[in-house]
Amino acid sequence: MNILIVDDEYLELEQMEYLIRRKYPHFQCFCGEDAVTAMRVLDSHAIQLAFVDILLPNEDGLKLSERMVERQPDMDIVIVSAHQDFNYAKKAIQLEVLDYLVKPFLESELYDTIEKWLSKHHYKVGRSPHVQHVLKRIQESYSQKLSLNDIAKEIPINPSYLSHCFSDEIGETFQEYLLSYRINQSKKLLEQHPDWSMTVIAERAGFSSQNHFSNAFKKITGVTPSKFKGQGQ
């Protein structure tokens, strides 16, 4: 998982990065001191979650957040402010940010916000580097053909041992987690691209056929992809 922290105060950047890495050592943190450096990070990395300070040089954090989401629509924003200003909070709500943190915030508040994101996106965190590698491969290549045997060869590690570690740490088998991840991604695609055909959605989400996609989607969600799509319109 890639996290971006945008704050013009170096000590704030350093402290937040330290706290995140301490609890989530496998997460990758990127830091930016202003809008320019933040947008440069987005040009070269896919960011899942960004913490953006409201008061930044040359451009306020709310306007920057709008531009960031335009660049990467799947990214969630957490606004960070030293003031509990109602107008800022109102604008943040309009932007549909994940959370609004007021400095100085507690470690528990930061971790609660990250856990909220993990829960929202059904994101699992493995304890071992090997399982983290599997999770990362799924996130990066879910639309392609994936097998645990092939991923085990990349590490390299015994496939049976990797399968046991994955199930033990994640609470699901590799295939169960991969299917669940693809279904969640297909939901996003259905919401973001209502004009796309089910065949295209199925392909982009990593399913071998539209029929396989439709059956799996209904089995997990209880409704067909078409009905889910209609509910969002």
Side-chain angles (χ1 to χ4, degrees):
M1 175 176 171
N2 293 336
I3 293 179
L4 172 61
I5 308 166
V6 188
D7 198 311
D8 62 334
E9 296 183 29
Y10 178 75
L11 291 178
E12 295 284 350
L13 284 175
E14 192 176 52
Q15 176 69 2
M16 191 177 294
E17 181 179 11
Y18 166 76
L19 291 174
I20 292 173
R21 288 186 180 279
R22 187 176 67 179
K23 183 165 184 179
Y24 307 96
H26 301 295
F27 287 5
Q28 190 164 4
C29 292
F30 300 89
C31 297
E33 297 179 1
D34 54 28
V36 174
T37 53
M39 296 306 288
R40 282 177 184 163
V41 171
L42 297 189
D43 286 337
S44 54
H45 300 279
I47 301 297
Q48 285 75 48
L49 179 62
F51 292 86
V52 183
D53 187 63
I54 279 187
L55 299 179
L56 295 171
N58 302 321
E59 183 175 9
D60 74 69
L62 291 170
K63 289 182 179 178
L64 173 60
S65 296
E66 287 186 74
R67 293 205 294 132
M68 290 170 62
V69 172
E70 287 175 1
R71 183 73 59 86
Q72 294 192 19
D74 290 336
M75 175 177 52
D76 279 305
I77 301 286
V78 176
I79 293 296
V80 181
S81 173
H83 308 286
Q84 201 162 9
D85 188 290
F86 174 75
N87 289 325
Y88 282 148
K90 184 179 179 181
K91 290 179 181 178
I93 291 172
Q94 292 172 345
L95 284 174
E96 298 183 343
V97 301
L98 179 72
D99 213 338
Y100 188 101
L101 294 178
V102 179
K103 298 178 183 178
F105 49 80
L106 302 174
E107 290 180 30
S108 59
E109 292 178 292
L110 173 63
Y111 295 147
D112 285 347
T113 297
I114 294 176
E115 290 297 324
K116 182 191 293 187
W117 187 93
L118 296 175
S119 176
K120 174 184 175 183
H121 294 275
H122 307 280
Y123 190 103
K124 298 294 181 73
V125 180
R127 298 188 299 271
S128 68
H130 298 325
V131 172
Q132 279 295 327
H133 179 80
V134 176
L135 293 171
K136 186 176 181 182
R137 287 287 281 112
I138 291 174
Q139 293 149 20
E140 293 176 343
S141 309
Y142 66 88
S143 63
Q144 304 169 20
K145 185 177 180 180
L146 286 175
S147 76
L148 194 61
N149 283 344
D150 289 340
I151 297 175
K153 291 176 183 177
E154 297 170 2
I155 295 177
I157 192 175
N158 181 277
S160 297
Y161 177 69
L162 181 59
S163 176
H164 172 76
C165 290
F166 189 92
S167 299
D168 181 56
E169 294 183 29
I170 303 304
E172 297 177 277
T173 67
F174 170 79
Q175 288 298 336
E176 288 171 342
Y177 180 80
L178 177 60
L179 177 60
S180 177
Y181 192 89
R182 283 171 168 165
I183 292 296
N184 287 323
Q185 293 304 311
S186 72
K187 288 180 180 179
K188 293 180 184 179
L189 293 172
L190 287 165
E191 293 170 343
Q192 294 170 2
H193 304 282
D195 56 321
W196 285 8
S197 69
M198 290 301 166
T199 301
V200 172
I201 295 290
E203 181 181 342
R204 295 294 180 91
F207 290 91
S208 57
S209 68
Q210 180 184 337
N211 187 52
H212 178 209
F213 166 56
S214 297
N215 289 337
F217 193 98
K218 185 174 182 180
K219 183 177 179 179
I220 290 180
T221 67
V223 297
T224 64
S226 298
K227 187 170 184 180
F228 177 86
K229 181 179 179 180
Q231 291 172 346
Q233 293 178 346

